[in-house]
Amino acid sequence: RPAARRGQRLSARSAAHRFLEDANLGARRAAARALVHSAEFPELRRTFSTLLERELDEGIRSGFGHALAQWLTTSTGDEIEQRQVLATLFAVAGRPQEDAVRFRIEDSLRRLPMNVEEVGTLTKLALNGTPAQQIWSLSLLKTKTEVGGMVLEAACHQLVSLTDAKVREYAVTVLGSFQSASTEQTLLAVLSGDEVWHVRAAAAHA
């Protein structure tokens, strides 16, 4: 009987899998809801990664992203695949319109260990992205300062002078993790000179 139940589940999963690329939006949504908690299966991870970049529905894309990001936090398997999945998530997060995807993957990626190259990708997005992308990147980088090192610190020094106050606030928060004379001077300058109170408050807390 256990074998029979496993066979039934496999059959149901395979049937739903086929509908992930159906022309009908309702069918795709139903299939995604049925499978979004099944990222432990390699064939589904491959499909999620592929469709994440080309699915037109924002809700479905964000569900795929969430499933893959959660899988990354629990996976102990192939490190190459893990890095490839993370690269795919970064590529989609790098598209300005992907607010929903960024929101759904943020919590998992904040807890995920990253290497120097991956932290560098986030740092570049913090420097060059839209304000929403900058804030998202900085919220992740707050937990990656040891890996980011001097490159991240230098980036934050640039970001505290931008026009968007929320970006400045997040940059100040990250900068507070570094212990250097230049960072201390920057934080003091923000504390005494920034016109926005919550940016000054972040500098005081840092």
Side-chain angles (χ1 to χ4, degrees):
R1 286 185 179 181
R5 285 195 293 270
R6 284 195 298 272
Q8 290 171 351
R9 287 195 294 268
L10 175 60
S11 179
R13 194 166 62 245
S14 298
H17 193 168
R18 290 194 293 272
F19 282 99
L20 288 175
E21 298 187 70
D22 196 89
N24 182 277
L25 176 58
R28 296 202 309 278
R29 285 177 173 171
R33 283 194 298 270
L35 295 172
V36 75
H37 298 295
S38 302
E40 71 269 25
F41 299 102
E43 69 277 8
L44 284 175
R45 290 198 298 276
R46 288 192 292 271
T47 299
F48 291 170
S49 293
T50 299
L51 295 182
L52 181 60
E53 298 192 89
R54 70 175 193 231
E55 167 60 52
L56 297 179
D57 183 76
E58 179 182 62
I60 296 176
R61 288 198 310 277
S62 64
F64 290 156
H66 179 66
L68 291 169
Q70 280 199 319
W71 172 77
L72 282 173
T73 65
T74 59
S75 173
T76 57
D78 184 354
E79 186 175 346
I80 293 176
E81 183 191 5
Q82 293 171 11
R83 306 277 69 96
Q84 289 172 340
V85 167
L86 183 56
T88 298
L89 292 175
F90 280 168
V92 175
R95 301 193 306 216
Q97 73 275 19
E98 297 290 359
D99 292 326
V101 172
R102 286 191 293 271
F103 176 75
R104 293 295 304 280
I105 67 177
E106 181 177 335
D107 185 60
S108 294
L109 296 194
R110 188 180 291 117
R111 295 180 281 117
L112 186 71
M114 295 183 189
N115 61 32
V116 172
E117 181 180 353
E118 291 155 354
V119 171
T121 298
L122 282 176
T123 303
K124 288 176 184 177
L125 188 59
L127 285 169
N128 303 312
T130 65
Q133 290 174 314
Q134 291 175 309
I135 291 167
W136 179 80
S137 300
L138 289 166
S139 73
L140 299 182
L141 289 166
K142 179 66 173 68
T143 62
K144 322 293 182 193
T145 53
E146 289 189 10
V147 179
M150 295 177 64
V151 173
L152 175 55
E153 184 178 9
C156 289
H157 279 283
Q158 295 182 50
L159 291 168
V160 296
S161 63
L162 295 186
T163 56
D164 189 284
K166 203 65 179 176
V167 174
R168 298 201 305 275
E169 178 187 345
Y170 273 72
V172 164
T173 300
V174 176
L175 201 54
S177 299
F178 295 98
Q179 304 295 322
S180 68
S182 60
T183 287
E184 184 177 345
Q185 291 173 358
T186 296
L187 292 175
L188 287 172
V190 171
L191 183 60
S192 62
D194 199 286
E195 61 185 15
V196 180
W197 72 267
H198 59 81
V199 180
R200 296 195 303 273
H205 185 265

